[in-house]
Amino acid sequence: MLKNKTQEQQISTSVLVIGTGGSGLRAAIELAELGVDVLAVGKRPRHDAHTSLAAGGINAALATMDEEDSWQQHAADTIKESYHLADPQTVEIVAKGAEQGIADLERYGMGFAREDDGRISQRFFGAHTFRRTAFAGDYTGLEIQRSLVKRSEQLEIAILDTVYITDILTEGNTVFGAYGFDVNDGRRYLIHADAVILAAGGHNRIWRRTSSRRDENTGDSFRLAVEAGARLRDPELVQFHPSGIIEPENAAGTLISEAARGEGGILRNALGERFMERYDPERMELSTRDRVALAAYTEIQEGRGTENGGVWLDLSHLPREVILQRLPRVYQTMMEVQMLDVTREPIEIAPTAHYSMGGVWVRPEDHSTDVAGLYAIGEASSGLHGANRLGGNSLIELLVFGRIVGQAAANYSANLQAHTRSAEVVAKARGEVDRLLAADGTENVRALQRAIRDMMTEYAGVVRTEAGLTAGLKQLEEIEARMANVGIHPDIAGFQDLAHAYDLKSSVLSARATLEAALERRETRGCHNRSDYPEMDPDMQVNLVWSPTDGVTREEIAPVPEDISSLIREVSTEGKLVE
């Protein structure tokens, strides 16, 4: 097995896509439909990408249910709930392009839930003015992923399912490819490419309770981009989903879809109180994710939580047929993991790290980065969500910008005058893999990953303080020192240990960026709760941009156009619980 570690395969392509979830596949499909040579690589099988876990739905102002809806109102809702940290141009592009994104999915064969007359059904999600969330049961992401995989197969797109990218290769601040290895047999890959699209997710796996599985969203996109010369924006803005299950341990953090609250689920504490009356009496359970997560966290911290440190989400008052028809995955998941019948019993839940709302710094019009030829999309990127992501916006974002970035990368490749490579840069990437494979220290990479998750949970969770964040940075330094003594042990099961070592490097960089930006954001805004700075500070209505050389700098946000700003208002919840 180990003899294969020195084998290296060279591949050349016009555009390399790193990540085979929804955003990566959508970009690859666009490139293939344009006739551009494209290769997509992922460290986990394309059928099992993180996108497949998305449950509730996908947003577009189709006006199939509420004819007064518009893309401008969608944009206004998005900016308002971002706490005015979203980039207005990015928001406008997504809201305008959403209808095309839905049409693309229909073209690929996506099966949406429909009304009796054939219209696409749309339901309310928290903080949306109108019904604009299209869906397929409560497994929308899975259906989207299946549709994208099917289309990629029709186009015969080259996809490598088990390749871990360790480095994006650059020369003169310009991309020329990437380096990686196969996680099963250790075969090396040197991939030459005109352009690289980074679609490898976010960093929410660096918290202990998370909706991500153990080998995804470890901050790979952040590290790859930063080491290539790009920057991060708003890494401290992490959405904690209100409803992750607590038990069993191996399933902790698994999400109960927001659709459960959208269909009329009620939140209660251990005393049986419907506690959202204290935190958002108007919107109740249909309040935004950040407010519901903070409410649940507060109930637990103040001693009104369950014995396991959670709260109850109760669906048992809903008609059984409604649950089985509109929340089938919730029903099935709880039966599988706990043998719990949600039509009869409440679900024990707690806030769980769910979504990286910040990410790689990109330009709004084409998601290009500071590095020529490098693009970032999906959860790897930033600009749309600000300090609170509306449910359903992430799935439409990856479709809109997957298409746009595919076109931008194709255009960049077609107009590239020269393609300069560097043998020295390749040798450095190759040498780092060699070094790690030879590492025979006593520190276990998985134990160090766990130390990061414990530290981030304690000091950078739902509520943060100056003292806690400072303590977290001190602990992080200790973890970084221990990393010098790791041992890597490839075995007959493959090269997962080597992959975990790179995951660890990504987690450390992502944790540092998050902690340093969270320290700088001395206010409470959306998902970012500073108990030592409980008020929102108008002077902090800025994006925080991070790099290892410059630390945290502030970036002004463009003004919101009048046709959108005039529509920003509080969202009524009248009648929405009965939808």
Side-chain angles (χ1 to χ4, degrees), residues 2-23:
L2 293 183
K3 61 180 172 60
N4 286 336
K5 75 177 184 181
T6 56
Q7 293 182 3
E8 187 172 281
Q9 183 172 345
Q10 290 194 25
I11 301 174
S12 291
T13 185
S14 295
V15 182
L16 170 66
V17 179
I18 303 173
T20 54
S23 57

mmCIF file with all atom_site columns, all heavy atoms in Angstrom, residues 2-23:
data_model
loop_
_atom_site.group_PDB
_atom_site.id
_atom_site.type_symbol
_atom_site.label_atom_id
_atom_site.label_alt_id
_atom_site.label_comp_id
_atom_site.label_asym_id
_atom_site.label_entity_id
_atom_site.label_seq_id
_atom_site.pdbx_PDB_ins_code
_atom_site.Cartn_x
_atom_site.Cartn_y
_atom_site.Cartn_z
_atom_site.occupancy
_atom_site.B_iso_or_equiv
_atom_site.pdbx_formal_charge
_atom_site.auth_seq_id
_atom_site.auth_comp_id
_atom_site.auth_asym_id
_atom_site.auth_atom_id
_atom_site.pdbx_PDB_model_num
ATOM 1   N N   . LEU A 1 2  ? 1.869   1.305  0.859   1.00 0.00 ? 2  LEU A N   1
ATOM 2   C CA  . LEU A 1 2  ? 2.655   2.519  1.002   1.00 0.00 ? 2  LEU A CA  1
ATOM 3   C C   . LEU A 1 2  ? 3.499   2.819  -0.233  1.00 0.00 ? 2  LEU A C   1
ATOM 4   O O   . LEU A 1 2  ? 3.865   3.965  -0.462  1.00 0.00 ? 2  LEU A O   1
ATOM 5   C CB  . LEU A 1 2  ? 3.538   2.438  2.242   1.00 0.00 ? 2  LEU A CB  1
ATOM 6   C CG  . LEU A 1 2  ? 2.792   2.433  3.582   1.00 0.00 ? 2  LEU A CG  1
ATOM 7   C CD1 . LEU A 1 2  ? 3.777   2.428  4.737   1.00 0.00 ? 2  LEU A CD1 1
ATOM 8   C CD2 . LEU A 1 2  ? 1.883   3.630  3.701   1.00 0.00 ? 2  LEU A CD2 1
ATOM 9   N N   . LYS A 1 3  ? 3.812   1.795  -1.033  1.00 0.00 ? 3  LYS A N   1
ATOM 10  C CA  . LYS A 1 3  ? 4.635   2.059  -2.221  1.00 0.00 ? 3  LYS A CA  1
ATOM 11  C C   . LYS A 1 3  ? 3.913   2.988  -3.198  1.00 0.00 ? 3  LYS A C   1
ATOM 12  O O   . LYS A 1 3  ? 4.545   3.682  -3.982  1.00 0.00 ? 3  LYS A O   1
ATOM 13  C CB  . LYS A 1 3  ? 5.002   0.756  -2.931  1.00 0.00 ? 3  LYS A CB  1
ATOM 14  C CG  . LYS A 1 3  ? 3.805   -0.044 -3.432  1.00 0.00 ? 3  LYS A CG  1
ATOM 15  C CD  . LYS A 1 3  ? 4.273   -1.321 -4.115  1.00 0.00 ? 3  LYS A CD  1
ATOM 16  C CE  . LYS A 1 3  ? 3.091   -2.239 -4.443  1.00 0.00 ? 3  LYS A CE  1
ATOM 17  N NZ  . LYS A 1 3  ? 2.107   -1.663 -5.308  1.00 0.00 ? 3  LYS A NZ  1
ATOM 18  N N   . ASN A 1 4  ? 2.568   3.021  -3.130  1.00 0.00 ? 4  ASN A N   1
ATOM 19  C CA  . ASN A 1 4  ? 1.819   3.876  -4.042  1.00 0.00 ? 4  ASN A CA  1
ATOM 20  C C   . ASN A 1 4  ? 1.946   5.358  -3.726  1.00 0.00 ? 4  ASN A C   1
ATOM 21  O O   . ASN A 1 4  ? 1.569   6.192  -4.523  1.00 0.00 ? 4  ASN A O   1
ATOM 22  C CB  . ASN A 1 4  ? 0.334   3.502  -4.006  1.00 0.00 ? 4  ASN A CB  1
ATOM 23  C CG  . ASN A 1 4  ? 0.067   2.200  -4.736  1.00 0.00 ? 4  ASN A CG  1
ATOM 24  O OD1 . ASN A 1 4  ? 0.840   1.813  -5.600  1.00 0.00 ? 4  ASN A OD1 1
ATOM 25  N ND2 . ASN A 1 4  ? -1.013  1.532  -4.373  1.00 0.00 ? 4  ASN A ND2 1
ATOM 26  N N   . LYS A 1 5  ? 2.485   5.648  -2.538  1.00 0.00 ? 5  LYS A N   1
ATOM 27  C CA  . LYS A 1 5  ? 2.486   7.055  -2.133  1.00 0.00 ? 5  LYS A CA  1
ATOM 28  C C   . LYS A 1 5  ? 3.328   7.928  -3.051  1.00 0.00 ? 5  LYS A C   1
ATOM 29  O O   . LYS A 1 5  ? 3.115   9.127  -3.135  1.00 0.00 ? 5  LYS A O   1
ATOM 30  C CB  . LYS A 1 5  ? 2.974   7.182  -0.688  1.00 0.00 ? 5  LYS A CB  1
ATOM 31  C CG  . LYS A 1 5  ? 4.474   7.006  -0.513  1.00 0.00 ? 5  LYS A CG  1
ATOM 32  C CD  . LYS A 1 5  ? 4.897   7.220  0.922   1.00 0.00 ? 5  LYS A CD  1
ATOM 33  C CE  . LYS A 1 5  ? 6.420   7.138  1.055   1.00 0.00 ? 5  LYS A CE  1
ATOM 34  N NZ  . LYS A 1 5  ? 6.877   7.317  2.415   1.00 0.00 ? 5  LYS A NZ  1
ATOM 35  N N   . THR A 1 6  ? 4.314   7.344  -3.735  1.00 0.00 ? 6  THR A N   1
ATOM 36  C CA  . THR A 1 6  ? 5.186   8.149  -4.587  1.00 0.00 ? 6  THR A CA  1
ATOM 37  C C   . THR A 1 6  ? 4.679   8.224  -6.020  1.00 0.00 ? 6  THR A C   1
ATOM 38  O O   . THR A 1 6  ? 5.230   8.952  -6.824  1.00 0.00 ? 6  THR A O   1
ATOM 39  C CB  . THR A 1 6  ? 6.613   7.573  -4.577  1.00 0.00 ? 6  THR A CB  1
ATOM 40  O OG1 . THR A 1 6  ? 6.566   6.199  -4.992  1.00 0.00 ? 6  THR A OG1 1
ATOM 41  C CG2 . THR A 1 6  ? 7.211   7.652  -3.194  1.00 0.00 ? 6  THR A CG2 1
ATOM 42  N N   . GLN A 1 7  ? 3.643   7.444  -6.372  1.00 0.00 ? 7  GLN A N   1
ATOM 43  C CA  . GLN A 1 7  ? 3.097   7.526  -7.709  1.00 0.00 ? 7  GLN A CA  1
ATOM 44  C C   . GLN A 1 7  ? 2.367   8.860  -7.863  1.00 0.00 ? 7  GLN A C   1
ATOM 45  O O   . GLN A 1 7  ? 1.664   9.302  -6.966  1.00 0.00 ? 7  GLN A O   1
ATOM 46  C CB  . GLN A 1 7  ? 2.138   6.366  -7.974  1.00 0.00 ? 7  GLN A CB  1
ATOM 47  C CG  . GLN A 1 7  ? 2.825   5.013  -8.024  1.00 0.00 ? 7  GLN A CG  1
ATOM 48  C CD  . GLN A 1 7  ? 1.860   3.894  -8.342  1.00 0.00 ? 7  GLN A CD  1
ATOM 49  O OE1 . GLN A 1 7  ? 0.679   4.147  -8.573  1.00 0.00 ? 7  GLN A OE1 1
ATOM 50  N NE2 . GLN A 1 7  ? 2.348   2.677  -8.361  1.00 0.00 ? 7  GLN A NE2 1
ATOM 51  N N   . GLU A 1 8  ? 2.562   9.490  -9.012  1.00 0.00 ? 8  GLU A N   1
ATOM 52  C CA  . GLU A 1 8  ? 1.946   10.796 -9.230  1.00 0.00 ? 8  GLU A CA  1
ATOM 53  C C   . GLU A 1 8  ? 1.385   10.867 -10.632 1.00 0.00 ? 8  GLU A C   1
ATOM 54  O O   . GLU A 1 8  ? 2.080   10.557 -11.602 1.00 0.00 ? 8  GLU A O   1
ATOM 55  C CB  . GLU A 1 8  ? 2.994   11.897 -9.015  1.00 0.00 ? 8  GLU A CB  1
ATOM 56  C CG  . GLU A 1 8  ? 2.422   13.308 -9.055  1.00 0.00 ? 8  GLU A CG  1
ATOM 57  C CD  . GLU A 1 8  ? 3.458   14.344 -8.654  1.00 0.00 ? 8  GLU A CD  1
ATOM 58  O OE1 . GLU A 1 8  ? 3.709   14.502 -7.445  1.00 0.00 ? 8  GLU A OE1 1
ATOM 59  O OE2 . GLU A 1 8  ? 4.035   14.971 -9.571  1.00 0.00 ? 8  GLU A OE2 1
ATOM 60  N N   . GLN A 1 9  ? 0.139   11.256 -10.715 1.00 0.00 ? 9  GLN A N   1
ATOM 61  C CA  . GLN A 1 9  ? -0.524  11.384 -12.001 1.00 0.00 ? 9  GLN A CA  1
ATOM 62  C C   . GLN A 1 9  ? -0.694  12.857 -12.326 1.00 0.00 ? 9  GLN A C   1
ATOM 63  O O   . GLN A 1 9  ? -1.165  13.633 -11.497 1.00 0.00 ? 9  GLN A O   1
ATOM 64  C CB  . GLN A 1 9  ? -1.890  10.687 -11.975 1.00 0.00 ? 9  GLN A CB  1
ATOM 65  C CG  . GLN A 1 9  ? -2.604  10.733 -13.310 1.00 0.00 ? 9  GLN A CG  1
ATOM 66  C CD  . GLN A 1 9  ? -3.861  9.863  -13.318 1.00 0.00 ? 9  GLN A CD  1
ATOM 67  O OE1 . GLN A 1 9  ? -4.042  9.033  -12.432 1.00 0.00 ? 9  GLN A OE1 1
ATOM 68  N NE2 . GLN A 1 9  ? -4.710  10.058 -14.309 1.00 0.00 ? 9  GLN A NE2 1
ATOM 69  N N   . GLN A 1 10 ? -0.309  13.230 -13.536 1.00 0.00 ? 10 GLN A N   1
ATOM 70  C CA  . GLN A 1 10 ? -0.464  14.611 -13.980 1.00 0.00 ? 10 GLN A CA  1
ATOM 71  C C   . GLN A 1 10 ? -1.689  14.723 -14.875 1.00 0.00 ? 10 GLN A C   1
ATOM 72  O O   . GLN A 1 10 ? -1.893  13.903 -15.773 1.00 0.00 ? 10 GLN A O   1
ATOM 73  C CB  . GLN A 1 10 ? 0.775   15.094 -14.734 1.00 0.00 ? 10 GLN A CB  1
ATOM 74  C CG  . GLN A 1 10 ? 1.988   15.269 -13.845 1.00 0.00 ? 10 GLN A CG  1
ATOM 75  C CD  . GLN A 1 10 ? 3.095   16.064 -14.528 1.00 0.00 ? 10 GLN A CD  1
ATOM 76  O OE1 . GLN A 1 10 ? 2.830   16.860 -15.429 1.00 0.00 ? 10 GLN A OE1 1
ATOM 77  N NE2 . GLN A 1 10 ? 4.319   15.845 -14.085 1.00 0.00 ? 10 GLN A NE2 1
ATOM 78  N N   . ILE A 1 11 ? -2.499  15.745 -14.609 1.00 0.00 ? 11 ILE A N   1
ATOM 79  C CA  . ILE A 1 11 ? -3.715  15.993 -15.379 1.00 0.00 ? 11 ILE A CA  1
ATOM 80  C C   . ILE A 1 11 ? -3.739  17.461 -15.766 1.00 0.00 ? 11 ILE A C   1
ATOM 81  O O   . ILE A 1 11 ? -3.339  18.324 -14.976 1.00 0.00 ? 11 ILE A O   1
ATOM 82  C CB  . ILE A 1 11 ? -4.970  15.672 -14.545 1.00 0.00 ? 11 ILE A CB  1
ATOM 83  C CG1 . ILE A 1 11 ? -4.971  14.208 -14.081 1.00 0.00 ? 11 ILE A CG1 1
ATOM 84  C CG2 . ILE A 1 11 ? -6.247  15.958 -15.334 1.00 0.00 ? 11 ILE A CG2 1
ATOM 85  C CD1 . ILE A 1 11 ? -6.120  13.871 -13.141 1.00 0.00 ? 11 ILE A CD1 1
ATOM 86  N N   . SER A 1 12 ? -4.193  17.741 -16.959 1.00 0.00 ? 12 SER A N   1
ATOM 87  C CA  . SER A 1 12 ? -4.382  19.132 -17.376 1.00 0.00 ? 12 SER A CA  1
ATOM 88  C C   . SER A 1 12 ? -5.843  19.357 -17.746 1.00 0.00 ? 12 SER A C   1
ATOM 89  O O   . SER A 1 12 ? -6.468  18.499 -18.386 1.00 0.00 ? 12 SER A O   1
ATOM 90  C CB  . SER A 1 12 ? -3.497  19.466 -18.586 1.00 0.00 ? 12 SER A CB  1
ATOM 91  O OG  . SER A 1 12 ? -2.137  19.492 -18.212 1.00 0.00 ? 12 SER A OG  1
ATOM 92  N N   . THR A 1 13 ? -6.368  20.486 -17.339 1.00 0.00 ? 13 THR A N   1
ATOM 93  C CA  . THR A 1 13 ? -7.754  20.837 -17.643 1.00 0.00 ? 13 THR A CA  1
ATOM 94  C C   . THR A 1 13 ? -7.863  22.353 -17.742 1.00 0.00 ? 13 THR A C   1
ATOM 95  O O   . THR A 1 13 ? -6.997  23.074 -17.230 1.00 0.00 ? 13 THR A O   1
ATOM 96  C CB  . THR A 1 13 ? -8.706  20.294 -16.550 1.00 0.00 ? 13 THR A CB  1
ATOM 97  O OG1 . THR A 1 13 ? -10.059 20.551 -16.921 1.00 0.00 ? 13 THR A OG1 1
ATOM 98  C CG2 . THR A 1 13 ? -8.441  20.954 -15.196 1.00 0.00 ? 13 THR A CG2 1
ATOM 99  N N   . SER A 1 14 ? -8.891  22.834 -18.385 1.00 0.00 ? 14 SER A N   1
ATOM 100 C CA  . SER A 1 14 ? -9.089  24.285 -18.460 1.00 0.00 ? 14 SER A CA  1
ATOM 101 C C   . SER A 1 14 ? -9.499  24.840 -17.099 1.00 0.00 ? 14 SER A C   1
ATOM 102 O O   . SER A 1 14 ? -8.964  25.843 -16.635 1.00 0.00 ? 14 SER A O   1
ATOM 103 C CB  . SER A 1 14 ? -10.145 24.631 -19.513 1.00 0.00 ? 14 SER A CB  1
ATOM 104 O OG  . SER A 1 14 ? -9.698  24.265 -20.806 1.00 0.00 ? 14 SER A OG  1
ATOM 105 N N   . VAL A 1 15 ? -10.475 24.178 -16.439 1.00 0.00 ? 15 VAL A N   1
ATOM 106 C CA  . VAL A 1 15 ? -10.963 24.643 -15.146 1.00 0.00 ? 15 VAL A CA  1
ATOM 107 C C   . VAL A 1 15 ? -11.058 23.461 -14.186 1.00 0.00 ? 15 VAL A C   1
ATOM 108 O O   . VAL A 1 15 ? -11.634 22.425 -14.520 1.00 0.00 ? 15 VAL A O   1
ATOM 109 C CB  . VAL A 1 15 ? -12.343 25.325 -15.260 1.00 0.00 ? 15 VAL A CB  1
ATOM 110 C CG1 . VAL A 1 15 ? -12.806 25.838 -13.892 1.00 0.00 ? 15 VAL A CG1 1
ATOM 111 C CG2 . VAL A 1 15 ? -12.304 26.485 -16.262 1.00 0.00 ? 15 VAL A CG2 1
ATOM 112 N N   . LEU A 1 16 ? -10.495 23.648 -13.004 1.00 0.00 ? 16 LEU A N   1
ATOM 113 C CA  . LEU A 1 16 ? -10.599 22.659 -11.933 1.00 0.00 ? 16 LEU A CA  1
ATOM 114 C C   . LEU A 1 16 ? -11.621 23.147 -10.917 1.00 0.00 ? 16 LEU A C   1
ATOM 115 O O   . LEU A 1 16 ? -11.551 24.283 -10.460 1.00 0.00 ? 16 LEU A O   1
ATOM 116 C CB  . LEU A 1 16 ? -9.245  22.468 -11.245 1.00 0.00 ? 16 LEU A CB  1
ATOM 117 C CG  . LEU A 1 16 ? -9.254  21.637 -9.955  1.00 0.00 ? 16 LEU A CG  1
ATOM 118 C CD1 . LEU A 1 16 ? -9.623  20.193 -10.233 1.00 0.00 ? 16 LEU A CD1 1
ATOM 119 C CD2 . LEU A 1 16 ? -7.900  21.736 -9.248  1.00 0.00 ? 16 LEU A CD2 1
ATOM 120 N N   . VAL A 1 17 ? -12.575 22.281 -10.546 1.00 0.00 ? 17 VAL A N   1
ATOM 121 C CA  . VAL A 1 17 ? -13.547 22.591 -9.508  1.00 0.00 ? 17 VAL A CA  1
ATOM 122 C C   . VAL A 1 17 ? -13.226 21.731 -8.295  1.00 0.00 ? 17 VAL A C   1
ATOM 123 O O   . VAL A 1 17 ? -13.196 20.504 -8.386  1.00 0.00 ? 17 VAL A O   1
ATOM 124 C CB  . VAL A 1 17 ? -14.989 22.317 -9.981  1.00 0.00 ? 17 VAL A CB  1
ATOM 125 C CG1 . VAL A 1 17 ? -15.977 22.622 -8.858  1.00 0.00 ? 17 VAL A CG1 1
ATOM 126 C CG2 . VAL A 1 17 ? -15.315 23.141 -11.224 1.00 0.00 ? 17 VAL A CG2 1
ATOM 127 N N   . ILE A 1 18 ? -12.968 22.383 -7.156  1.00 0.00 ? 18 ILE A N   1
ATOM 128 C CA  . ILE A 1 18 ? -12.658 21.661 -5.919  1.00 0.00 ? 18 ILE A CA  1
ATOM 129 C C   . ILE A 1 18 ? -13.924 21.596 -5.084  1.00 0.00 ? 18 ILE A C   1
ATOM 130 O O   . ILE A 1 18 ? -14.377 22.603 -4.535  1.00 0.00 ? 18 ILE A O   1
ATOM 131 C CB  . ILE A 1 18 ? -11.530 22.356 -5.141  1.00 0.00 ? 18 ILE A CB  1
ATOM 132 C CG1 . ILE A 1 18 ? -10.271 22.481 -6.007  1.00 0.00 ? 18 ILE A CG1 1
ATOM 133 C CG2 . ILE A 1 18 ? -11.212 21.593 -3.852  1.00 0.00 ? 18 ILE A CG2 1
ATOM 134 C CD1 . ILE A 1 18 ? -9.161  23.304 -5.373  1.00 0.00 ? 18 ILE A CD1 1
ATOM 135 N N   . GLY A 1 19 ? -14.513 20.421 -4.989  1.00 0.00 ? 19 GLY A N   1
ATOM 136 C CA  . GLY A 1 19 ? -15.781 20.242 -4.276  1.00 0.00 ? 19 GLY A CA  1
ATOM 137 C C   . GLY A 1 19 ? -16.856 19.757 -5.222  1.00 0.00 ? 19 GLY A C   1
ATOM 138 O O   . GLY A 1 19 ? -17.048 20.321 -6.308  1.00 0.00 ? 19 GLY A O   1
ATOM 139 N N   . THR A 1 20 ? -17.558 18.707 -4.837  1.00 0.00 ? 20 THR A N   1
ATOM 140 C CA  . THR A 1 20 ? -18.581 18.132 -5.711  1.00 0.00 ? 20 THR A CA  1
ATOM 141 C C   . THR A 1 20 ? -19.965 18.173 -5.065  1.00 0.00 ? 20 THR A C   1
ATOM 142 O O   . THR A 1 20 ? -20.820 17.338 -5.329  1.00 0.00 ? 20 THR A O   1
ATOM 143 C CB  . THR A 1 20 ? -18.226 16.683 -6.101  1.00 0.00 ? 20 THR A CB  1
ATOM 144 O OG1 . THR A 1 20 ? -17.988 15.926 -4.903  1.00 0.00 ? 20 THR A OG1 1
ATOM 145 C CG2 . THR A 1 20 ? -16.986 16.650 -6.971  1.00 0.00 ? 20 THR A CG2 1
ATOM 146 N N   . GLY A 1 21 ? -20.179 19.155 -4.185  1.00 0.00 ? 21 GLY A N   1
ATOM 147 C CA  . GLY A 1 21 ? -21.520 19.429 -3.684  1.00 0.00 ? 21 GLY A CA  1
ATOM 148 C C   . GLY A 1 21 ? -22.293 20.236 -4.712  1.00 0.00 ? 21 GLY A C   1
ATOM 149 O O   . GLY A 1 21 ? -21.913 20.325 -5.887  1.00 0.00 ? 21 GLY A O   1
ATOM 150 N N   . GLY A 1 22 ? -23.372 20.868 -4.266  1.00 0.00 ? 22 GLY A N   1
ATOM 151 C CA  . GLY A 1 22 ? -24.238 21.575 -5.188  1.00 0.00 ? 22 GLY A CA  1
ATOM 152 C C   . GLY A 1 22 ? -23.555 22.688 -5.961  1.00 0.00 ? 22 GLY A C   1
ATOM 153 O O   . GLY A 1 22 ? -23.721 22.800 -7.181  1.00 0.00 ? 22 GLY A O   1
ATOM 154 N N   . SER A 1 23 ? -22.768 23.522 -5.276  1.00 0.00 ? 23 SER A N   1
ATOM 155 C CA  . SER A 1 23 ? -22.136 24.648 -5.964  1.00 0.00 ? 23 SER A CA  1
ATOM 156 C C   . SER A 1 23 ? -21.081 24.176 -6.955  1.00 0.00 ? 23 SER A C   1
ATOM 157 O O   . SER A 1 23 ? -21.000 24.681 -8.080  1.00 0.00 ? 23 SER A O   1
ATOM 158 C CB  . SER A 1 23 ? -21.531 25.625 -4.953  1.00 0.00 ? 23 SER A CB  1
ATOM 159 O OG  . SER A 1 23 ? -20.600 24.983 -4.118  1.00 0.00 ? 23 SER A OG  1
#
